[in-house]
Amino acid sequence: MAHIDAGKTTTSERILFYTGKTHKIGEVHEGGATMDWMVQEQERGITITSAATTAFWNYKDNTYQINIIDTPGHVDFTVEVERSLRVLDGAVATFCAVGGVEPQSETVWRQADKYNVPRIGYVNKMDRTGADFAGVCAQVHERLGANALPIVLPIGAEDKFTGVIDLVYNRAYVYFDDKTVRDNYHIEEIPENLKAEAAEARAKLIEEVAASDDALMEKFFEDPDAITPEEIIVALRKATINMSVVPMLCGSSFKNKGVQLLLDSIIAYLPSPLDVEAIVGTDPRTGEETKRHPSESDPFCALAFKIATDPFVGRLGFIRVYSGKLDAGSYTFNSRSGKKERISRIYQMHANKQNPIEFVGAGDIAAAVGFKDVRTGDTLCDENHQIVLESMTFPEPVIGLAIEPKTQKDLDKLGVGLGKLAEEDPTFTVKTDEDSGQTVISGMGELHLEIIVDRLKREFGVEINQGAPQVNYKEALTGTYEHREVFKKQTGGRGKFADIIFEIGPASSKEVTGLEFVDVVKGGNVPKEFIPAVQKGFATAMSNGALAGYPIDAMKVTLKDGSFHPVDSDALSFEICARNGFRHAAVKANPVIMEPIMSVEVVTPEENMGDIIGDLNKRRGQISGMETKGNARVVKAKVPLAEMFGYVTVLRTISSGRATSSMEFSHFEAVPGNVSKEIIEKASGKFKNEDE
Ligand SMILES: Nc1nc2c(ncn2[C@@H]2O[C@H](COP(=O)(O)OP(=O)(O)OP(=O)(O)O)[C@@H](O)[C@H]2O)c(=O)[nH]1
């Protein structure tokens, strides 16, 4: 996991080569990386979808299996990072030796914290001008609050970077430049000029690991030199797994240096599935907490973390198995749908290629085929031992795009394509406007939607006409209002009648999502059988806010009183009455339009700083901080998404291409009055706020 371009894919490609998975190293910038198998990834040199691969590595006379997921760095594809961290036992946080801790490094670090994933740090690109291993370790300490502990030292830097000193074994890995050889290094004595520095760093390492182990501490005080590498490894493994330490390594993946030691460290320090505590879930039948141990003798339980469509084998469900065993051709149980599912085949994944296997067991990551109904986040288990594991939370899409097929005959194909893509990606949604018939797709950012449109063209053969990207606003009520709504219709024969008195306003706490509905009607003035219809009326109505038709996330309605007609009243009348009541009352409850605010970070040379800040201010930006990083300046700001379209191009012009920026969603905030007026005027053409 890492910020964009830190070198995750390049490092993964080396791992595949050194572990014998591939016979030749594929390079990202040549479009040849095995892990970046999608056309869009190869063209752009970025990772979009996380690829899973299984590799085997020999370490100290044993062979170990490593399941690797290479995640994207771009924030638009954050869903991939989220679901990967949900199912992985350990992570390699990769940093650029020059860029250090970048905005996305912080984001993925927080995601790993959320899922308690132990990590090791890998400082890549040591061959670049300005590479600074110690500097990056210090940043990890300060900015990420982690106990970053170097377990190697670089030999030389920039174009003189030739290898690393292994502080645990007190020896040097000196690399010779040959990317076609797997053992492209010699193990040597530590170079004379680095001996003192290495001794000091090793003493620090031993002191740190001893701090987490009493027996070792005693030995440390008696005779630190008597502590063996094996003892260091045992203690360091423990400290890494309980997350009190993050071992830091360095290398240059592109120049084929340092990756073998990284593989050794993955085995030595990151947890195996057996080191991980039993996973906790709930039994859907009793609501009670239940546990599964990482053992094949426990009942089967797995989490489906990703759904993908493969052109050859069809729908693949990626699963992480926590306990038990599942055979290809057998049945499993989906605890969300309550249905049995037959798994026809199981595959071990190698990027987009599959290797059929007969079964999966505790600790495995694999792809299964044959599901009728499985969604991201579903738990698969033994029907007689049911469990629901905690699912994943995904951010809401903040940016929308109206699309239509270029030719009307492609309408059906578009529907199929959008359906499949939405199934793969929980941060991508599709909505059809009932009045205009317009289809609006929503995602995490401009790049995300651009890739979706491209995939519709290539994978589903649909050419698209698209509008300009638009912001997904929301509406919120900030005051309360009491209202009486009467719905009456007389059209010969039986009429319609409903009458309600209610108070509408913001939800009572931030935790509430959707409609908080309270019924305090006395004496059956609104008969019990119509109350659900009233509730349904409000719940449906709130998806079209009263100001400009944007959805309201949460609100509270208290139904206080009302009346009915013995013949004319029915459920539908009360539902329509509630919907109309919402229209009339919500506008009086101080509604506001809420807009997504982005956290923006710009890294720039000093001389462009003034212009960049001036420009951000013009975009209604609030500067939240300024820092120095190496010889560059970092400007942090909170800016409305509406003002950030096309920012990359403008920034390039202001800084002659020297500044870079990144942004991610921060929160929703009420828009200022003048902007609100504009949004409402624009929406008024499309949005009808009328009674039914
Ligand atoms: N100089 C140098 N360049 C490197 C090194 N590792 C990777 N690169 C280059 O940096 C660029 C980005 O590398 P990737 O491996 O695609 O980075 P990534 O982190 O996978 O990128 P995303 O998945 O798009 O976030 C490519 O052009 C690589 O060739 C390195 O050790 N040294």
Side-chain angles (χ1 to χ4, degrees), residues 1-14 27-30 33 36 41 44-48 70-74 77 94 122-129 161 251-257:
M1 56 175 212
H3 186 80
I4 191 156
D5 274 358
K8 298 172 294 291
T9 306
T10 306
T11 307
S12 305
E13 292 298 321
R14 267 60 190 178
E27 296 293 7
V28 174
H29 60 269
E30 293 163 1
D36 282 350
E41 296 181 314
R44 294 163 199 249
I46 55 165
T47 305
I48 294 168
D70 175 21
T71 60
H74 199 288
F77 310 112
T94 304
Y122 175 63
V123 179
N124 184 36
K125 302 200 183 183
M126 285 302 295
D127 59 298
R128 278 189 59 192
T129 310
F161 176 69
S252 162
S253 298
F254 184 57
K255 302 280 180 182
N256 312 297
K257 298 182 177 81

Side-chain angles (χ1 to χ4, degrees), residues 3 14 38 67 69 90 232 259-260 333 351 357 367 377 380 430 498 503 537 546 573-574 593 607 632 687:
H3 186 80
R14 267 60 190 178
M38 268 168 69
N67 297 314
I69 299 186
I232 299 179
V259 177
Q260 293 92 340
F333 181 80
I357 48 177
L380 303 172
V430 184
E503 187 184 270
S573 304
F574 274 96
I593 296 204
E607 64 258 38
F687 170 60

